[in-house]
Amino acid sequence: MNILILGGGGREHALAWAIKQNPKCDRLIVAPGNAGIAEIAECAQINIMNGASVAVFVEENSIDFVVIGPEAPLVAGVADVLRNGGILTFGPSAAAARLEASKAFTKEICAACGAPTAAAVPFTDLDAALAHVRAKGAPIVIKADGLAAGKGVTVAMKIDEAVDALHQIFADTPDAAPGAAPGAAPDAAVVIEEFMTGEEASFFVLCDGQTTLPIGTAQDHKRAYDNDTGPNTGGMGAYSPAPVLTEAIQAQAMETIIRPTLAEMARRGAPYQGVLYAGLMIEDGTARLVEYNVRFGDPECQVLMMRLGAQVLDLLLACATGRLEEARVNWADDHALTVVMAANGYPAAPETGSTIKGVEELPDTSLQTVFHAGTARQDGALIATGGRVLSVTARADTLAKARDRAYEMVERIDWPGGFCRSDIGWRALAP
Ligand code: AMP
Ligand code: GLY
């Protein structure tokens, strides 16, 4: 079968790597792809935000299955256009993608189905929002509604930080909610939330509109530097499984959060088809929802793909064809860990154009590989083109061994223009 993956980050390289191992995959195209993806698949330039352009490409290239990686095309309705055109597609509709596109919408769904989450109030008016923050006090969480668009979330430990965040959100877009995705009307400018304490973990569940199938847990490292210091990033490393998400807590999350949400979405005429990524806060043996994403996490996808391997294609196909009921995950008793290497200056101002050496010499097996994100080839040399550049990923029978294997590879990468954290996995590996 001919398969098209939309996206060009570490997540899509990992998806391509796993899908390519399945004998059902004859031809694999990734748009736009990157230098690492180009070694295992064809890369194509299409406007992945435009469903009609993707549909034309699918027709011309006899594509049988489209996998959508990032949230932006999902929120823009690319999956709807493809499915309406009879094209087999993995990824939720624009209506279902509102679970990521609008935090106010997600809160409304949680309230309707009783899913435990932080208490939250949406605001469209700055003065009302300021009054609410002053009445509640700190710590308090301020979230710009809509796709984050670089602003996102402020966890304010002091009132002043909350006030500053509100002023900034309203100053940037006085007339409309910030970060609004094209075509998706935002529900509020800002959502103000109760601060939750606990340990965060990510839970990934496939849904075909009816049936659900958990496909793994992971923990991300959001801060740029060691000991969870420095600015927030897209994620500097991850591992799977996340020991904090025990079988019992996963069952509770399925029972009280995931299934009620999906039932509520179906009831509203927006059944969910794709992977639902639940960010959970775990405290006292109970999970509460922090947020939903409507796609795989990056870098969480890299560790999930390394653990699941070739069967991923069968699972995604079962999901897209409504046959998840028949699907089973073939679990191995293993652990995967990925270390993200980012360009110096990331996340504020990553320096691009530096040369990376040594990646080609590293072993590339089912136990270890380097996924690329922001890379390109220039006269044969590997060049950094973006913020997060490489995901150095390994698998082993223990997390400690997976970590050691990943850092051995990091040591052998010669890249003065980049940096990484040296403590990925610390939480799960702490004595
Ligand atoms: P979000 O984009 O909603 O996932 O928020 C980004 C990050 O902010 C989360 O991963 C948490 O670390 C933190 N966060 C979000 N909401 C809360 C909350 N209600 N209480 C504490 N931390 C939060
Ligand atoms: N690693 C966090 C995310 O993909 O949203």
Side-chain angles (χ1 to χ4, degrees):
M1 100 186 300
N2 298 334
I3 299 168
L4 171 67
I5 300 176
L6 303 186
R11 167 180 52 211
E12 287 78 21
H13 191 181
L15 282 164
W17 178 84
I19 285 172
K20 183 73 196 257
Q21 292 169 30
N22 190 306
K24 286 198 187 84
C25 176
D26 296 312
R27 185 170 174 216
L28 183 60
I29 308 179
V30 185
N34 60 41
I37 291 173
E39 286 165 24
I40 60 167
E42 299 165 52
C43 293
Q45 299 306 319
I46 334 173
N47 179 359
I48 68 166
M49 293 298 291
N50 184 311
S53 307
V54 178
V56 167
F57 183 89
V58 163
E59 183 68 28
E60 287 174 356
N61 290 275
S62 308
I63 300 291
D64 303 298
F65 185 38
V66 181
V67 177
I68 304 179
E71 60 277 20
L74 293 168
V75 172
V78 171
D80 304 73
V81 174
L82 297 179
R83 270 197 288 269
N84 287 341
I87 299 164
L88 191 63
T89 304
F90 177 83
S93 65
R98 286 182 77 201
L99 285 175
E100 175 162 358
S102 168
K103 293 180 190 294
F105 175 75
T106 297
K107 287 294 177 185
E108 182 197 317
I109 294 287
C110 287
C113 72
T117 185
V121 188
F123 290 93
T124 45
D125 175 69
L126 174 62
D127 290 333
L130 287 170
H132 180 78
V133 156
R134 294 210 169 92
K136 288 281 173 193
I140 194 159
V141 181
I142 312 292
K143 298 187 175 181
D145 205 18
L147 287 186
K151 285 192 280 296
V153 174
T154 302
V155 179
M157 300 313 286
K158 299 203 177 88
I159 281 290
D160 290 354
E161 292 168 54
V163 168
D164 287 352
L166 285 175
H167 278 293
Q168 198 181 343
I169 287 167
F170 281 89
D172 284 357
T173 40
D175 301 324
D187 300 271
V190 68
V191 173
I192 302 184
E193 269 188 36
E194 160 209 358
F195 173 74
M196 293 190 283
T197 52
E199 188 171 338
E200 267 185 277
S202 310
F203 189 28
F204 296 87
V205 180
L206 292 181
C207 182
D208 65 4
Q210 289 264 315
T211 306
T212 53
L213 183 69
I215 54 160
T217 63
Q219 259 175 320
D220 189 10
H221 298 63
K222 288 183 194 288
R223 300 299 196 98
Y225 314 132
D226 283 3
N227 305 313
D228 289 339
T229 57
N232 264 323
T233 70
M236 293 299 292
Y239 52 90
S240 172
V244 65
L245 270 180
T246 59
E247 294 281 336
I249 297 177
Q250 287 181 49
Q252 175 251 317
M254 288 300 293
E255 184 79 9
T256 66
I257 303 173
I258 311 284
R259 284 205 202 93
T261 298
L262 295 170
E264 179 64 20
M265 294 299 288
R267 197 184 67 75
R268 293 182 181 216
Y272 193 95
Q273 188 264 73
V275 61
L276 186 64
Y277 155 7
L280 301 175
M281 189 72 85
I282 294 111
E283 194 177 36
D284 301 331
T286 307
R288 291 205 282 168
L289 183 74
V290 179
E291 61 156 356
Y292 281 127
N293 294 303
V294 298
R295 48 166 176 91
F296 284 105
D298 189 342
E300 291 98 321
C301 187
Q302 286 84 312
V303 284
L304 292 180
M305 292 307 122
M306 176 140 276
R307 291 188 66 209
L308 292 168
Q311 65 179 317
V312 161
L313 177 57
D314 299 304
L315 294 170
L316 301 191
L317 281 170
C319 191
T321 52
R323 302 181 62 173
L324 215 44
E325 203 165 5
E326 298 157 35
R328 296 288 177 274
V329 180
N330 188 5
W331 290 112
D333 190 9
D334 61 359
H335 300 256
L337 183 142
T338 189
V339 179
V340 170
M341 299 185 78
N344 289 342
Y346 176 76
E351 293 160 22
T352 58
S354 54
T355 303
I356 308 163
K357 290 188 194 146
V359 176
E360 293 77 7
E361 288 77 44
L362 292 172
D364 177 13
T365 70
S366 66
L367 294 178
Q368 58 194 108
T369 195
V370 177
F371 297 120
H372 292 221
T375 63
R377 289 257 170 226
Q378 244 171 48
D379 305 324
L382 190 63
I383 306 291
T385 60
R388 292 188 293 171
V389 172
L390 302 172
S391 282
V392 184
T393 311
R395 180 164 71 96
D397 56 355
T398 68
L399 183 60
K401 280 193 220 163
R403 186 241 350 239
D404 292 349
R405 188 170 277 155
Y407 277 109
E408 274 163 30
M409 287 196 282
V410 167
E411 284 300 306
R412 291 169 58 190
I413 294 173
D414 175 10
W415 183 28
F419 74 99
C420 66
R421 280 180 59 159
S422 68
D423 64 348
I424 300 303
W426 69 268
R427 207 182 274 279
L429 291 164

